[in-house]
Amino acid sequence: MIRIGIIGAGYWGPNVVRNFYQIDGSSVVRLADLNEARLEFIKGLYPDIHLGIDYREILNDTTIDAIYIATPVSTHHTIAMAALKAAKHVLVEKPMCKTVDEAEQLVDMARAKNKILSVGHIFQYTPAVNAINNIITSGEIGDILYFDSTRINMGPPATEVDVMWDLAPHDLSILFHLVNDKPVSVRAVGNSYAWKDKSINDMTYLHINFDTGKRAQIHVSWLSANKTRMTRIFAEKGSVEYDETRNPKVIVYGEGIDNRVNLKESQTKKLAYGVGTVSTPELENYEPLRKECEEFLHAIVMGRQTVSNGTVGLKVVQVLEAATKSIEYNGREIKL
């Protein structure tokens, strides 16, 4: 039985409690949050969990094996570092930290303490992304050429990070899950159009170059109530379209048909081009957060890393930090 302590009971925290609570082999024994109203909410759902406002009580509890951190990003490094020093396994929400230096410190400490460090990049656990990964590794569409993603929704009521640090970690984690190549440089532009704090961008375009020549573009915005979750992957022998807001979520397009190629002068048929084969892979049916929690527990038992491990979290923060610098320098290319 792996005993879990949860720090943070805001928007995401109760979902985490529910999943760990329901998984055989884990037990949620303590939860901490500064908001006593949130603690009362959790108490009404799970009266047997010990509640408190001081997260250090969880870290000091020697019977607790692992910590889930669902707090603002500015607190991630402090809490996660303290948890690792207290010999706890750690699953921390995205982004892992607010700076590369902080993220590197956590990765090093987890290695030194021989503890699992995982990051809440939940889209790495979705049925759709796993299906796309299978399509790519099978060679069905050939080598990836470039990746294009758009993620738009209304902004949060309050925030300490801009839209890029809020939304782009999802797309970056998907990108790095599907593309194993090394990112070498970043360009980014951003603006604050409607946000009340003009120092916080509510729209960003992020461009990433890889050492193999692959490219990726990620567009994130808080400027529309029309939720958009569209990712397109273009490859040598076809393309994949992934839309989290519709069914089917994943559509695979073949190379296409084009009778304009090598046309003889004597032929009189109508010239045309269009899609060739179109397929929709069957997706598994499970809750991604449940899968994320289960893999974290399994990693602890087996002593191996999760797919959303600390190294992946560090890679995401490296790109975000470089992109922030690029925005400050009006889109200048920043080497990684």
Side-chain angles (χ1 to χ4, degrees):
M1 180 64 69
I2 297 174
R3 292 167 62 86
I4 307 290
I6 295 176
I7 302 173
Y11 173 74
W12 198 237
N15 296 320
V16 176
V17 176
R18 171 176 54 81
N19 277 277
F20 278 123
Y21 201 87
Q22 294 173 350
I23 297 173
D24 291 338
S26 72
S27 174
V28 180
V29 294
R30 283 181 177 267
L31 181 144
D33 195 282
L34 293 175
N35 188 326
E36 294 189 3
R38 296 302 294 171
L39 295 179
E40 285 297 316
F41 173 72
I42 296 296
K43 183 178 180 180
L45 298 173
Y46 309 99
D48 55 333
I49 297 177
H50 187 280
L51 306 174
I53 61 172
D54 189 349
Y55 74 87
R56 289 169 296 188
E57 293 178 356
I58 295 178
L59 302 186
N60 293 332
D61 187 336
T62 57
T63 70
I64 289 178
D65 305 295
I67 307 293
Y68 194 111
I69 302 169
T71 59
V73 64
S74 62
T75 67
H76 286 182
H77 176 262
T78 298
I79 298 175
M81 181 61 76
L84 290 169
K85 288 181 177 179
K88 315 292 188 188
H89 301 283
V90 171
L91 175 48
V92 58
E93 266 308 313
K94 62 82 188 170
M96 182 165 73
C97 291
K98 61 181 181 180
T99 69
V100 170
D101 183 58
E102 289 182 346
E104 287 176 338
Q105 290 177 29
L106 291 187
V107 171
D108 291 343
M109 182 58 67
R111 186 179 298 116
K113 291 289 187 178
N114 195 29
K115 295 299 175 183
I116 299 300
L117 172 62
S118 192
V119 186
H121 292 303
I122 195 168
F123 279 90
Q124 289 187 269
Y125 297 94
T126 60
V129 171
N130 285 331
I132 295 169
N133 190 50
N134 291 335
I135 291 166
I136 292 169
T137 55
S138 73
E140 178 181 342
I141 60 173
D143 197 27
I144 293 176
L145 302 175
Y146 74 97
F147 173 103
D148 185 278
S149 187
T150 300
R151 188 172 298 269
I152 298 171
N153 53 242
M154 293 178 65
T159 181
E160 62 178 32
V161 297
D162 66 10
V163 67
M164 183 175 67
W165 284 79
D166 177 39
L167 297 182
H170 292 309
D171 303 283
L172 289 170
S173 66
I174 295 170
L175 171 64
F176 296 144
H177 190 64
L178 301 177
V179 178
N180 294 321
D181 304 331
K182 180 182 178 181
V184 293
S185 67
V186 172
R187 293 180 186 269
V189 291
N191 286 91
S192 180
Y193 288 108
W195 201 254
K196 50 188 174 293
D197 182 351
K198 292 304 177 183
S199 67
I200 295 179
N201 290 328
D202 50 23
M203 185 286 296
T204 297
Y205 279 96
L206 170 60
H207 301 266
I208 303 165
N209 297 317
F210 290 87
D211 58 351
T212 55
K214 294 182 178 66
R215 295 178 181 271
Q217 173 178 275
I218 297 171
H219 172 213
V220 290
S221 172
W222 284 334
L223 294 174
S224 175
N226 181 27
K227 188 175 183 178
T228 303
R229 298 285 186 269
M230 174 62 77
T231 297
R232 293 183 176 93
I233 300 157
F234 300 89
E236 294 173 317
K237 298 187 292 183
S239 62
V240 178
E241 191 174 271
Y242 165 38
D243 187 341
E244 188 66 29
T245 67
R246 73 173 182 209
N247 280 306
K249 296 182 185 300
V250 178
I251 301 176
V252 183
Y253 297 94
E255 293 186 78
I257 298 172
D258 189 350
N259 72 359
R260 301 170 303 172
V261 180
N262 299 323
L263 185 69
K264 296 180 180 179
E265 292 184 6
S266 60
Q267 291 179 313
T268 58
K269 65 174 64 175
K270 179 181 178 181
L271 302 183
Y273 66 93
V275 297
T277 60
V278 180
S279 61
T280 56
E282 185 175 349
L283 304 183
E284 296 181 81
N285 184 23
Y286 61 81
E287 182 182 358
L289 180 57
R290 175 67 172 253
K291 181 75 76 173
E292 179 183 73
C293 293
E294 288 175 339
E295 178 164 330
F296 178 56
L297 297 171
H298 191 64
I300 293 171
V301 173
M302 300 302 294
R304 68 186 190 193
Q305 296 297 323
T306 65
V307 295
S308 59
N309 57 69
T311 301
V312 175
L314 169 59
K315 198 173 181 179
V316 169
V317 174
Q318 286 172 330
V319 171
L320 292 173
E321 187 175 271
T324 299
K325 185 179 294 184
S326 178
I327 292 172
E328 292 173 354
Y329 288 99
N330 298 315
R332 181 188 301 176
E333 183 177 20
I334 303 297
K335 301 292 185 181
L336 294 172

